[in-house]
Each structure stands twice: as structure tokens, then as C-alpha cells.
Amino acid sequence: MTDGLPMAVPAQGLPPRVRIHEVGARDGLQNEKAVVPTEVKAEFIHRLAHAGLTTIEATSFVHPKWVPQLADAEALFPLVADLQGEVALPVLVPNGRGLDRALALGVRRIAVFASATESFAKANLNRTVDESLAMFAPVVARARDEGMRVRGYLSMCFGDPWEGPVPVHQVVGVAKALRDLGCDELSLGDTIGVATPGHVQSLLAELNEEGVPTSALAVHFHDTYGQALANTLAALQHGVTTVDASAGGLGGCPFARSATGNLATEDLVWMLEGLGVETGVDLGRLTATSVWLAGELGRPSPSRTVRALAGRTASATVQSPTSQSPTSQSPTFQSPTARSATARSPKE
Ligand code: HMG
Ligand code: MG
């Protein structure tokens, strides 16, 4: 890149395309104190699909008392199920009861969620690590018999608020156990956002050495210390092609104090566009979605990219969901691949 223009082809060592696993409707909202109306969640998911996201985690079939924000899973899923032809709508399922609920609604993809540490396993699942794996075993087996794809989340892969830094070998042990249960994909969670790029690369290398291929891995970064993009780039350089992110940078885990927002999808798309890596996401529509949702939640989006792009255009001011259609709210910004005097690429 000699003229300051973004790359037309991916920068060396990067994949041509990244699949974004959008977690805004689940991880993004689960920590919200005020209950978001089911219709707003359904509109959020439709807008995300309209922005080009093809994997959108819709909700969780967990105990409603544990995560009251997602207690409307039964009401929500039918409002978005029409998307399932073109969009994958995975949901979180911890146990047989959760799987029954999901199957009754025609859910086609699930995720179980384990912890690399005992403290978080207890806080999040009321189980030890081994007990939670035993809880997941029949769930994964039955889901696969039903033809579902199963993702296995692994939380606290880098640091834990109770136990401190988490040794790589401890993470690898639980990762292999999840693979042995039959999970198709593992998502490595930096639940409290403490990872740094070297640590990410060490963990990925160790997983490979222990027989877990990079093709089976996704990364899931929270942005507490502002490292999520750097960590993502390190993972991409290692060959990872599935990245979890949350529209507007919302998120957190109610069971891990110090867990803040996820990597913002807009920040991720901005970086990837600048690097010439395709995502299929329309950044304008996505930003408009996050601006709209920020209005619903009553506070600005934490995403730097959303703030920068929304600040450039009057059409991105916060609107009520009923006042405008998703397309008419698209902010008129320039993406990093469309250079202009007003919009500067990340390299300029
Ligand atoms: P428990 O209290 O041990 O449940 O919770 P139990 O198995 O003892 O059952 C107690 C009662 O709950 C029973 O009812 C069950 O039927 C009912 P009773 O017989 O007493 O009337 N029950 C359920 N009801 C509805 N749906 C269900 C369900 N399961 C049991 N699925 C449990 C155990 C796993 C259920 C609980 O701990 C739980 O729901 N935990 C969810 C925690 C959660 O959702 N955390 C956030 C997601 S993880 C995350 O955010 C991290 C991630 O983003 C990655 C990262 O960042 O690292 C993924
Ligand atoms: Mg998370």
C-alpha cells in the first residue's frame, strides 16, 4: 500500500474472507439491566441480517431466573425464524431442558458454553468444569443426532477475575474435552478482555500442537483493555477465519464482574475492509442499526467506529424503531475502501 489506499487484496498472511459470528442479540443484550422489549430484539436481529450478517446468535435457552433479559426466548425465536433460510441463528443451550425448548421452536444450531476455570464454571453454570462437561455430553450428542451444528464456547481462556492468569495447558485440556464431546467449532472466549496478541498466538499454537486444527476455532474477544482488535489480527495471522463480535460493542457477562463489551462488529468490519478482507457486511446499515439500538437503550454505542461514523452524518441521529425503515437510516459515511476528503481510511 504505497498511495495510502486500502488494500484491494488481503494483506499478506491474512485470509481473503472472515465469517463474523454476530453475538449482539445474545452477549450484547444479556447484561442489560432494563428489559428490552421482544419486538425490539426481533427488529435488531432483522436489521443485522439486512446488514449482511449471516450468523446471528439469537438468544439463550438458559434458566430465565439466571438471565432475565433473555427470558423471552420462546416469544422471540418465532419472530426471527423466517430468517433461517439464509441466516444461521444459533442459540445458547446449557442442558437437556434448554435443548427441548430449542427443538420445540425449530432451532437448527446451538452452542454449549464451558469454562476453562472452576470459579467461572461455578458462577455461570452452578457446576464444576467436569460436571458441566457431563451436563453438555448428552446435549451435544442429541443435538448432533438431530442434525444440528454445535458450537462449544470456552470462557476464561486468558484470565479469570477470581483465579488470575489462566495457564494455556488448562485451556487446552477443556478445549479437547469439548471437541471429544462432538462440538464442530470451538470459540475461545476472553470473557474479561485481558488477552494480548502474544498470548493469543501461544494459545492457538498450543491447541494446534495438541491436535485441535485452526479451522475448528473461532475467537471471542471482549474489549475491556482495548486489545480486542489487536488480538483479532493476531488470530487472523494464525489462520483463524471466524470472529465473534457484537454490533455497537455491547456486551458483558452477568456472572463475571469486570467483563465489559465485546469487540464491536463495526470496529472489526472497519479494520477488515481496510485490510482487504471480505466480510459481506454493509457497514452503513450496520452502523445505522447500532445507532438505532443505542436510542432504544438510551445511551451511546461504545463502538469507536459507530461514534465516528454516526457523528459525521445527521441521518445517523438516534431514531425510534417505528420512525424509519432500516435502509432509510443508513448513515452516509465513506467506508475505508471508498477514499474521500471527508472519510479517511485507517491508513491515512
Ligand atoms: P441450576 O440452578 O443448577 O439448575 O442452573 P438445575 O439443573 O438445578 O435446575 C433447577 C431448575 O431450573 C429446575 O426446575 C429446572 O427444570 C430449571 P424445577 O425442577 O426446580 O422446577 N431449569 C431450566 N429452566 C429453563 N431452561 C433451562 C433450565 N435448566 C434448568 N435451560 C443452569 C443450571 C445451567 C440452568 C443455570 O446455571 C443457567 O441457566 N446458567 C446460564 C448462565 C448464562 O447464560 N450465562 C451467560 C452466557 S455465557 C457467556 O456469556 C460467555 C460467552 O459469551 C463466552 C465468553 O465471553 O467467554 C459465551
Ligand atoms: Mg462473551
Side-chain angles (χ1 to χ4, degrees):
M1 194 192 304
T2 53
D3 61 357
L5 281 169
M7 311 289 286
V9 291
Q12 208 178 4
L14 294 181
R17 190 175 174 87
V18 157
R19 184 170 64 84
I20 297 179
H21 185 109
E22 169 60 46
V23 297
R26 193 279 305 170
D27 211 352
L29 293 182
Q30 72 182 9
N31 213 25
E32 288 295 318
K33 296 272 179 296
V35 173
V36 178
T38 308
E39 294 69 29
V40 171
K41 293 175 184 169
E43 183 166 351
F44 181 35
I45 291 170
H46 277 101
R47 285 177 185 240
L48 292 169
H50 189 59
L53 287 151
T54 53
T55 306
I56 304 173
E57 210 162 86
T59 185
S60 296
F61 289 85
V62 296
H63 196 296
K65 281 196 192 137
W66 282 65
V67 186
Q69 181 63 257
L70 304 184
D72 61 349
E74 263 81 5
L76 174 65
F77 201 82
L79 299 180
V80 296
D82 60 297
L83 293 169
Q84 275 198 115
E86 62 229 52
V87 176
L89 295 175
V91 301
L92 261 58
V93 163
N95 55 16
R97 178 78 199 282
L99 184 60
D100 290 342
R101 293 171 59 201
L103 284 169
L105 292 167
V107 167
R108 294 185 199 152
R109 283 197 192 199
I110 63 159
V112 294
F113 44 106
S115 169
T117 65
E118 292 295 345
S119 302
F120 187 63
K122 270 280 178 202
N124 200 39
L125 293 160
N126 200 24
R127 303 280 186 284
T128 65
V129 170
D130 284 348
E131 285 166 354
S132 39
L133 291 169
M135 176 170 73
F136 299 145
V139 174
V140 177
R142 186 148 67 97
R144 285 174 61 95
D145 283 351
E146 296 281 349
M148 291 171 147
R149 256 181 83 80
V150 182
R151 158 177 267 225
Y153 275 108
L154 185 49
S155 288
M156 303 298 175
C157 286
F158 301 93
D160 172 287
W162 299 276
E163 300 181 19
V166 180
V168 164
H169 69 83
Q170 189 173 322
V171 180
V172 171
V174 188
K176 284 168 71 178
L178 279 172
R179 289 266 294 168
D180 291 346
L181 291 187
C183 292
D184 301 285
E185 177 179 77
L186 289 187
S187 177
L188 305 172
D190 181 19
T191 319
I192 56 169
V194 291
T196 47
H199 196 165
V200 171
Q201 288 190 325
S202 307
L203 175 58
L204 292 169
E206 187 73 16
L207 283 164
N208 292 161
E209 259 179 42
E210 291 294 323
V212 182
T214 306
S215 57
L217 296 172
V219 286
H220 179 104
F221 295 118
H222 287 255
D223 205 20
T224 320
Y225 290 85
Q227 303 294 299
L229 273 182
N231 290 336
T232 301
L233 188 55
L236 298 182
Q237 284 164 341
H238 191 90
V240 169
T241 56
T242 301
V243 178
D244 299 1
S246 169
L250 295 172
C253 180
F255 306 103
R257 61 181 190 275
S258 72
T260 62
N262 290 74
L263 167 62
T265 314
E266 291 86 352
D267 298 8
L268 174 64
V269 172
W270 180 269
M271 178 179 83
L272 293 178
E273 282 192 10
L275 289 166
V277 177
E278 277 180 42
T279 63
V281 173
D282 180 322
L283 190 52
R285 286 183 180 162
L286 182 60
T287 301
T289 297
S290 291
V291 170
W292 161 76
L293 189 67
E296 291 296 323
L297 300 178
R299 59 172 194 282
S301 160
S303 158
R304 299 275 184 93
T305 301
V306 170
R307 290 189 194 194
L309 295 178
R312 273 192 200 141
T313 167
S315 65
T317 51
V318 173
Q319 307 278 346
S320 85
T322 47
S323 64
Q324 287 205 325
S325 71
T327 43
S328 64
Q329 283 185 34
S330 292
T332 53
F333 67 89
Q334 302 281 323
S335 81
T337 47
R339 192 172 176 237
S340 79
T342 51
R344 301 174 69 81
S345 83
K347 278 284 191 181
E348 291 174 308

